Amino acid sequence: MDKGKKITDSETVIDDMDDNNCWWWLVQKGTAATFATIALFAFLVRVAVSLHPYSGAGNPPKFGDYEAQRHWMEITINLPIQEWYRNSTTNDLSYWGLDYPPLTAYQSFVHGIFLRFFHPNSVSLFTSRGHESYLGKLLMRWTVLSSDALIFFPAVLYFVVVYYNRSSRSRKSDLAWHTALLLLNPCLILIDHGHFQFNCISLGFTIGAVAAILSGKDLVACVLYCLSLNHKQMSAYFAPAFFSHLLGKCLRRKHPLLEVSKLGLYVLGTFAAVWWPYLYSTHSILEVLSRLAPFERGIFEDYVANFWCASSILIKWKRLLTTESLKLLSFTGTIIACLPSMVQQIKTPSNRGFLYGLLNSSFSFYLFSFQVHEKSILLPLLPASLLAMEEPSTFRWFMHFAMLSMFPLLCRDNLVVPYLALLALFTLIFYAPGQNRVRENNYFYYYLGASTTRLILSGSFILHIVYLTMHPPEKYPFLFEAVIMNVCFSQFVLVTLGSNIKQWMLNKPVKLEMEKKLI
Amino acid sequence: MGMGKQKLSSKQVHNSCSPKTTTTVWWYFLVSTCIKVLLFPSYHSTDFEVHRNWLALTHSLPLSQWYFDETSPWTLDYPPFFAYFECFLSFFASLVDPQMVHLQEGLNYSSNTVIYFQRVTVVLSDLSLLYGVYRLTRNMDSRKQKVIWSSVIWSPMLFIVDHVHFQYNGFLIGILLISLSYLEEGRDLLGGFVFAVLLCFKHLFAVAAPVYFVYLLRHYCWGGMIKGFSRLLIMGGAVAAVFAAAFGPFFYLGQIEQVIRRLFPFGRGLCHAYWAPNFWVFYIMSDKGLAFMLRKLGFDIKTPAASFTAGLVGDSSPFSVLPQISPIVTFIMVLLALSPCLLKAWKNPQPKMITRWIAYAYTCGFLFGWHVHEKASLHFVIPLAIVAAQTPEDARHYFLLSIVSCYSLFPLLFEAQEYPVKVLLLLLHTILMWSGFSAQFYDGAETARVLTSRTKKKIDQSGSKGSSSAGLKKGGFAIGWIDRNYLVGLVVVEVWGQFLHPLLLGDKLAFVPLMLISIYCSLGIMYSWIWQLRSVVNSV
């Protein structure tokens, strides 16, 4: 537990004695106490956010994601397991039908039982459609809070312990700072505890898998990543990185084929275990699979800051091409975008490179794949937060625009107040007094210059205000959304380019070490 | 006049407060502000409507009717400065939403606008707390500062009472801290002046007035016939000017009697509906015990007409055996309890003791006062935080006291939604204090190393337990086995009241959980009073 303490003590004491360091007391008692304090605070923030409205509150007939999750609980506890994904008289799939893999269904089942125990009306079949009550909301909020505490928090602890054991230069207050940033990710908190979703589960499994890879336990990593994939198919954004890193590692061992097949066996085993109830016939498997890939919804919905939506201002993709060719096009685009990072990892797999690879592959999916939702920005945000120590300013920059890209969505959910509070809290934690993080080895400052960054930043603040206070011209009702989305898209492309370059730069370790020392 | 000395000290002050200190204290304040903002939609008590009504009342009625208006049951019962404050706020309120300040149409108005407006005023008025605690701590070393800031600015009690339940305690206690900071600097005139202002905001702070009086008389006005007398005149003039500014208009209108009647509603009874954890809890309990025993022995003891658990207490005596308590009795008891402190202040008035004395005075008022609210424990817990970082003994006492008095506020938030909020606030406070004091009194890395492995596990288990007393000998921060067991008992009381009681007994004896909290917390507060009394008496 206290591996972080093995760092040369004289150095850490001097560092942490820094008079204005606000982490000094947290780190006196070791990693466990530090983590406990920050986790309590992060949990308090989550509880406070959960007091606010959820998506689609009091908005019949379809409500929002809250109703979707509640409906899945209703379906899973009242119908036999084979019928969960099947359209029938009792299970109308057009009304929030299950469209996530089986692990989400099992999770809904467990939570449904919890709800039924305390408040049977909120999950009764048919009659509970659109159920909204004080107790119902409270119980639903608690299902997310408990999932967060049971999966995401331990995963972050695992990652932090592994990560700060690895690099010997780390300071204890760095650990505290990084933990706080990981646990207080404003986007994740707003979507899970405000808007209402269970991203903490799939992202928690992913963090666990990353930590397992960093500590050299590849088989554990495989199992955890498969669980993540089976909770939300969006976790496939990370698949290229996991695949290429593990493949690259296997190729460097004595018996590459044996190693690969061992990993494959674990993957298959996990999948088989999760899909067991549907393995009795190919038909039932296809039934579930067809629910997971909603191609009929078009290449993008609403306004999302990716390539297809941004370029649709000039090129009307939806009108020009059929869904089939768009599918192919987006697939090719995604593969091309993540190929460089995959090649780098297969050639020279390394832990740092793996983290960059995660960021790059998830970004390629966000920017180019089919049917991306604005909430999917959480996926690239995760590896960026894992890299916060290496790329502090990039992370802050990225977080800022990730938040902005979700601003219209959160406005619709009436979550403006928590949005502003959490953004402020994030900035405060980031600039906590005593963090001597002047390492601006950040490409923004190289390529854009300080004044340009300031200009963009203040521009984005103005966008917030404009979006809140002004009405768009009648001719272009979604003008502001389009502007926000294009601004975010341009910044995301910058971050992707930068992190791809960074990942390839890792191949020149000598030069990098020199730079580090100079800094 | 000693002005030279004062000027010198203020100059030193300005030199030593680096811009970094102010940045850090602002950082603490802004982090707490984020949490406060997030808590906006949480439950708020009837105090919210009380303050909304006062906004409407001061906005739409002329001054002459403020203390007579009875449109709402929540009549104005704070001194005039607070009414002026509400009048000031109501100006902005009328700009935001005129319905908010409408006397009739605004009744029980609770749209998002009014909630956000009133919550924002509380958050902004907390700036006085920030200034007060900053003034008091700006010359301390940075470690002490941080422990104090985190216990005052992030005080779980203030979060619960001000930002969920809804009141303006942070603002008022901030004024008290400003006054104390002047006294500690030796600028007695300003200290007395600010205290007079505070009294005109909320008269419940008057409990400490005797201590202020004796201290200022001896420390400011003593020494030489002419000098002393002239200073007495200056101080008297300053205080009188404040009171004239507050009460003058009502005196002029001839309403002073009505104002006094509103400010001191003695018809309310000895205890509040939920008993504040003070001395009278024991009194009531021993009355019940005696009555029970005497009945068993065959005496004819009548059950009193008025019941304490029912909430409202009328004129009839609620006691069956012991004599009834009148406001005068409580007044005398408070003065008696105060007397050792007054004696000390008379004999040797020293600025470095004043914060302890004031805190002690409020403790006495809380323990023996008439119709005390549980929220009044804020009046001494916050000032005690300022002196908590001085010695390990102080820290140990404060650690226990702050947990107990925060816990005693739990019944204020009775809805399920806020349950995790209050529990997390208390746990976070506990672990912050624990780590803060441990780091503060960190003597030699070796002892701490040995202890951490043991203490950490304990903290993880309950969040409120301590380390072995071995640490105390080495000069580190640790709490003894009695304290530890007491805190474990607190967890037991909470688990019983929240989970086991409803599970095992259902709706039967529904008053027992609250009563248990009162009794158990009053034990802790009594201990704190005795500890403070000892430290006041033993001080040199």
Side-chain angles (χ1 to χ4, degrees):
Chain A
M1 251 177 147
D2 275 347
K3 300 231 168 104
K5 277 188 136 188
K6 283 183 184 165
I7 320 150
T8 46
D9 257 313
S10 56
E11 186 193 271
T12 45
V13 168
I14 291 165
D15 277 346
D16 293 330
M17 288 284 264
D18 180 2
D19 261 8
N20 265 297
N21 189 338
C22 68
W23 307 101
W24 63 273
W25 62 25
L26 293 183
V27 297
Q28 289 292 342
K29 296 240 135 201
T31 315
T34 310
F35 186 82
T37 315
I38 297 173
L40 275 176
F41 181 73
F43 202 66
L44 174 68
V45 170
R46 282 163 165 77
V47 170
V49 171
S50 78
L51 302 173
H52 290 262
Y54 44 81
S55 68
N59 186 20
K62 282 282 265 188
F63 301 94
D65 274 346
Y66 172 88
E67 170 63 10
Q69 299 284 352
R70 195 210 54 72
H71 178 66
W72 297 345
M73 294 175 196
E74 170 200 335
I75 290 296
T76 48
I77 59 166
N78 288 305
L79 297 181
I81 198 161
Q82 286 83 11
E83 291 185 22
W84 288 354
Y85 289 90
R86 188 177 296 156
N87 202 12
S88 66
T89 47
T90 44
N91 186 10
D92 176 15
L93 285 184
S94 65
Y95 183 81
W96 297 118
L98 252 174
D99 52 5
Y100 282 128
L103 202 57
T104 294
Y106 303 148
Q107 165 245 314
S108 297
F109 179 72
V110 173
H111 287 152
I113 287 175
F114 168 76
L115 252 76
R116 187 163 62 183
F117 182 76
F118 288 102
H119 192 34
N121 287 343
S122 66
V123 281
S124 59
L125 197 60
F126 299 128
T127 53
S128 67
R129 295 277 158 94
H131 176 92
E132 288 184 298
S133 63
Y134 177 83
L135 189 59
K137 177 187 172 186
L138 202 63
L139 292 170
M140 288 287 281
R141 291 294 199 194
W142 266 95
T143 60
V144 194
L145 285 167
S146 56
S147 315
D148 221 341
L150 290 175
I151 294 174
F152 192 77
F153 282 52
V156 168
L157 177 63
Y158 183 25
F159 172 79
V160 168
V161 168
V162 170
Y163 189 72
Y164 283 88
N165 186 33
R166 196 174 56 96
S167 55
S168 54
R169 303 182 311 112
S170 60
R171 303 188 314 166
K172 287 190 214 166
S173 59
D174 281 346
L175 181 145
W177 182 77
H178 199 173
T179 312
L181 287 183
L182 281 169
L183 289 180
L184 287 168
N185 181 339
C187 291
L188 182 61
I189 296 176
L190 281 170
I191 292 297
D192 275 10
H193 302 278
H195 178 85
F196 206 93
Q197 279 195 343
F198 286 89
N199 294 297
C200 51
I201 297 181
S202 61
L203 294 182
F205 280 132
T206 308
I207 293 191
V210 172
I213 283 196
L214 295 188
S215 60
K217 293 177 183 128
D218 293 350
L219 297 176
V220 179
C222 270
V223 173
L224 286 175
Y225 178 64
C226 290
L227 289 178
S228 164
L229 204 55
N230 274 310
H231 190 266
K232 280 201 158 191
Q233 62 270 40
M234 262 83 86
S235 295
Y237 285 23
F238 299 122
F242 275 97
F243 173 76
S244 57
H245 178 78
L246 289 175
L247 183 68
K249 255 187 184 171
C250 287
L251 291 178
R252 310 183 144 235
R253 296 213 177 112
K254 247 186 189 170
H255 309 288
L257 214 63
L258 190 76
E259 297 282 341
V260 171
S261 51
K262 220 159 93 187
L263 290 176
L265 219 64
Y266 269 82
V267 171
L268 281 180
T270 317
F271 264 87
V274 174
W275 286 68
W276 189 252
Y278 301 98
L279 291 182
Y280 62 93
S281 78
T282 9
H283 174 70
S284 71
I285 298 176
L286 287 177
E287 209 172 48
V288 179
L289 274 178
S290 70
R291 292 292 307 156
L292 304 187
F295 286 116
E296 73 283 354
R297 285 162 79 175
I299 189 156
F300 59 84
E301 269 179 295
D302 297 339
Y303 279 91
V304 53
N306 74 355
F307 172 74
W308 305 111
C309 187
S311 58
S312 72
I313 291 178
L314 301 173
I315 312 161
K316 300 288 169 210
W317 298 105
K318 282 181 182 173
R319 241 179 282 156
L320 281 173
L321 298 166
T322 60
T323 307
E324 282 309 309
S325 46
L326 274 177
K327 256 192 245 177
L328 197 70
L329 204 61
S330 62
F331 183 72
T332 329
T334 313
I335 294 294
I336 291 172
C338 70
L339 213 54
S341 120
M342 282 179 79
V343 171
Q344 193 272 344
Q345 274 303 289
I346 293 172
K347 266 176 72 183
T348 48
S350 69
N351 283 342
R352 277 181 77 198
F354 172 60
L355 291 180
Y356 280 102
L358 284 170
L359 179 59
N360 292 329
S361 75
S362 53
F363 247 135
S364 67
F365 272 81
Y366 179 82
L367 292 177
F368 294 105
S369 73
F370 199 83
Q371 239 295 313
V372 176
H373 202 276
E374 59 258 65
K375 279 167 274 184
S376 305
I377 195 64
L378 288 175
L379 292 135
L381 205 49
L382 184 79
S385 66
L386 299 180
L387 280 166
M389 207 56 222
E390 304 222 1
E391 300 271 352
S393 343
T394 314
F395 174 54
R396 187 184 66 87
W397 191 255
F398 179 22
M399 179 66 83
H400 190 88
F401 287 97
M403 286 289 273
L404 179 64
S405 76
M406 296 200 307
F407 188 57
L409 172 83
L410 295 168
C411 276
R412 261 178 277 143
D413 292 344
N414 289 322
L415 291 171
V416 180
V417 172
Y419 174 95
L420 297 175
L422 284 183
L423 189 59
L425 190 61
F426 171 79
T427 317
L428 285 168
I429 301 284
F430 189 89
Y431 290 114
Q435 283 305 105
N436 312 317
R437 216 164 305 282
V438 275
R439 286 180 279 158
E440 294 291 0
N441 54 343
N442 163 17
Y443 30 91
F444 287 118
Y445 293 90
Y446 287 148
Y447 299 120
L448 293 174
S451 50
T452 324
T453 45
R454 236 171 266 147
L455 197 74
I456 296 175
L457 216 56
S458 45
S460 79
F461 277 119
I462 293 168
L463 262 182
H464 281 107
I465 297 163
V466 166
Y467 189 81
L468 279 180
T469 53
M470 284 168 66
H471 291 286
E474 272 183 33
K475 208 175 160 194
Y476 306 104
F478 295 108
L479 176 73
F480 297 151
E481 277 90 348
V483 172
I484 286 177
M485 175 260 305
N486 270 293
V487 169
C488 292
F489 173 68
S490 63
Q491 299 311 312
F492 293 162
V493 168
L494 272 181
V495 174
T496 321
L497 284 177
S499 74
N500 266 300
I501 294 166
K502 258 288 172 70
Q503 192 185 346
W504 273 92
M505 296 266 279
L506 294 179
N507 285 357
K508 302 166 190 160
V510 187
K511 196 184 161 201
L512 204 87
E513 280 305 306
M514 289 280 286
E515 275 177 15
K516 282 257 146 123
K517 266 177 198 159
L518 281 176
I519 290 155
Chain B
M1 285 284 280
M3 280 299 280
K5 213 169 101 191
Q6 284 176 18
K7 267 190 185 152
L8 195 73
S9 65
S10 69
K11 227 179 218 171
Q12 281 169 343
V13 162
H14 282 294
N15 287 340
S16 62
C17 64
S18 62
K20 269 193 169 176
T21 314
T22 39
T23 324
T24 316
V25 77
W26 270 105
W27 186 84
Y28 276 78
F29 182 74
L30 290 175
V31 168
S32 80
T33 305
C34 289
I35 303 294
K36 292 167 190 170
V37 170
L38 286 176
L39 288 173
F40 274 1
S42 58
Y43 152 87
H44 52 81
S45 70
T46 47
D47 276 343
F48 181 83
E49 171 62 13
V50 171
H51 285 96
R52 197 223 41 83
N53 181 47
W54 293 355
L55 282 179
L57 190 146
T58 50
H59 188 78
S60 29
L61 290 178
L63 190 85
S64 57
Q65 289 176 40
W66 285 4
Y67 283 94
F68 283 95
D69 179 74
E70 281 177 355
T71 320
S72 153
W74 313 117
T75 53
L76 183 59
D77 57 5
Y78 272 31
F81 271 179
F82 203 86
Y84 300 155
F85 174 63
E86 293 277 3
C87 186
F88 168 73
L89 293 179
S90 72
F91 170 71
F92 300 98
S94 69
L95 293 181
V96 174
D97 182 359
Q99 198 191 337
M100 208 189 301
V101 291
H102 198 284
L103 204 52
Q104 275 91 33
E105 282 170 29
L107 283 181
N108 295 315
Y109 180 50
S110 58
S111 72
N112 270 347
T113 351
V114 62
I115 289 176
Y116 281 38
F117 178 82
Q118 292 220 73
R119 295 270 197 209
V120 167
T121 60
V122 181
V123 170
L124 288 181
S125 68
D126 272 354
L127 283 171
S128 96
L129 183 76
L130 173 71
Y131 183 64
V133 74
Y134 168 70
R135 271 198 68 96
L136 266 170
T137 55
R138 57 186 169 175
N139 290 330
M140 294 185 180
D141 77 87
S142 83
R143 296 202 153 194
K144 263 186 198 164
Q145 280 180 339
K146 273 156 205 159
V147 179
I148 295 170
W149 292 344
S150 69
S151 58
V152 174
I153 300 176
W154 294 346
S155 163
M157 299 171 73
L158 283 177
F159 274 109
I160 290 176
V161 179
D162 280 8
H163 302 280
V164 181
H165 176 86
F166 198 86
Q167 273 192 349
Y168 289 89
N169 289 294
F171 170 62
L172 299 168
I173 289 172
I175 300 176
L176 177 68
L177 294 187
I178 294 170
S179 162
L180 288 176
S181 75
Y182 281 125
L183 292 190
E184 284 198 354
E185 280 170 22
R187 297 160 82 178
D188 292 340
L189 184 58
L190 268 172
F193 173 79
V194 175
F195 185 67
V197 172
L198 175 66
L199 289 187
C200 293
F201 269 107
K202 192 171 180 179
H203 51 300
L204 288 179
F205 282 94
V207 180
V211 181
Y212 261 93
F213 179 76
V214 171
Y215 175 82
L216 290 176
L217 188 69
R218 286 285 292 170
H219 192 254
Y220 182 71
C221 310
W222 214 253
M225 198 61 187
I226 299 160
K227 188 181 147 199
F229 197 69
S230 60
R231 283 194 162 193
L232 190 64
L233 276 182
I234 296 171
M235 181 63 83
V239 172
V242 171
F243 275 85
F247 292 93
F250 302 97
F251 191 76
Y252 175 75
L253 290 165
Q255 299 175 344
I256 208 74
E257 242 178 85
Q258 168 72 8
V259 175
I260 300 290
R261 211 175 302 132
R262 280 281 176 85
L263 295 190
F264 300 99
F266 280 113
R268 276 188 184 171
L270 178 62
C271 285
H272 196 220
Y274 157 63
W275 309 340
N278 62 9
F279 173 77
W280 302 117
V281 171
F282 293 123
Y283 193 79
I284 298 167
M285 289 319 290
S286 43
D287 178 68
K288 300 239 186 247
L290 275 176
F292 180 76
M293 267 169 38
L294 290 178
R295 263 187 222 119
K296 283 273 164 190
L297 291 174
F299 290 92
D300 177 34
I301 306 289
K302 284 194 187 97
T303 320
S307 151
F308 270 107
T309 43
L312 268 177
V313 181
D315 290 332
S316 57
S317 168
F319 299 107
S320 26
V321 185
L322 294 175
Q324 195 185 354
I325 303 297
S326 65
I328 292 293
V329 176
T330 62
F331 184 71
I332 292 170
M333 284 193 69
V334 172
L335 270 187
L336 271 179
L338 265 181
S339 53
C341 172
L342 295 178
L343 220 65
K344 277 281 172 188
W346 179 267
K347 268 198 209 148
N348 187 10
Q350 34 183 338
K352 71 175 166 75
M353 286 300 289
I354 188 66
T355 308
R356 283 170 197 276
W357 289 338
I358 298 300
Y360 175 74
Y362 285 125
T363 316
C364 294
F366 182 82
L367 267 185
F368 302 108
W370 179 261
H371 193 82
V372 174
H373 280 245
E374 63 279 21
K375 292 159 242 166
S377 55
L378 272 169
H379 298 179
F380 54 93
V381 176
I382 301 288
L384 279 173
I386 307 291
V387 290
Q390 285 181 358
T391 67
E393 276 298 308
D394 288 322
R396 202 180 70 117
H397 164 251
Y398 177 73
F399 181 73
L400 192 77
L401 173 69
S402 64
I403 292 173
V404 172
S405 41
C406 179
Y407 179 66
S408 75
L409 297 177
F410 270 23
L412 277 181
L413 312 183
F414 50 86
E415 287 192 21
Q417 187 177 243
E418 283 75 22
Y419 188 75
V421 174
K422 62 184 182 186
V423 172
L424 285 169
L425 279 170
L426 179 55
L427 285 181
L428 192 62
H429 173 75
T430 308
I431 195 165
L432 273 176
M433 287 298 100
W434 175 257
S435 328
F437 287 138
S438 304
Q440 175 77 35
F441 305 110
Y442 181 74
D443 259 20
E446 287 316 305
T447 29
R449 183 76 40 82
V450 180
L451 284 171
T452 39
S453 57
R454 283 154 67 186
T455 50
K456 254 183 338 223
K457 275 175 207 151
K458 284 174 188 160
I459 282 184
D460 287 346
Q461 279 165 14
S462 75
S464 56
K465 290 195 240 168
S467 110
S468 70
S469 53
L472 206 61
K473 288 174 205 152
K474 302 262 162 58
F477 173 73
I479 59 171
W481 64 273
I482 301 178
D483 310 30
R484 213 181 319 147
N485 287 333
Y486 179 78
L487 291 178
V488 173
L490 215 60
V491 178
V492 173
V493 168
E494 178 62 11
V495 170
W496 170 262
Q498 280 297 325
F499 306 104
L500 297 180
H501 186 96
L503 213 67
L504 299 177
L505 298 173
D507 291 338
K508 273 182 283 176
L509 301 172
F511 62 93
V512 167
L514 276 186
M515 205 172 75
L516 273 180
I517 296 178
S518 283
I519 295 171
Y520 201 76
C521 289
S522 57
L523 279 173
I525 307 271
M526 283 293 272
Y527 160 79
S528 160
W529 176 66
I530 293 166
W531 188 91
Q532 286 185 60
L533 181 64
R534 268 182 49 198
S535 87
V536 166
V537 172
N538 290 339
S539 67
V540 190

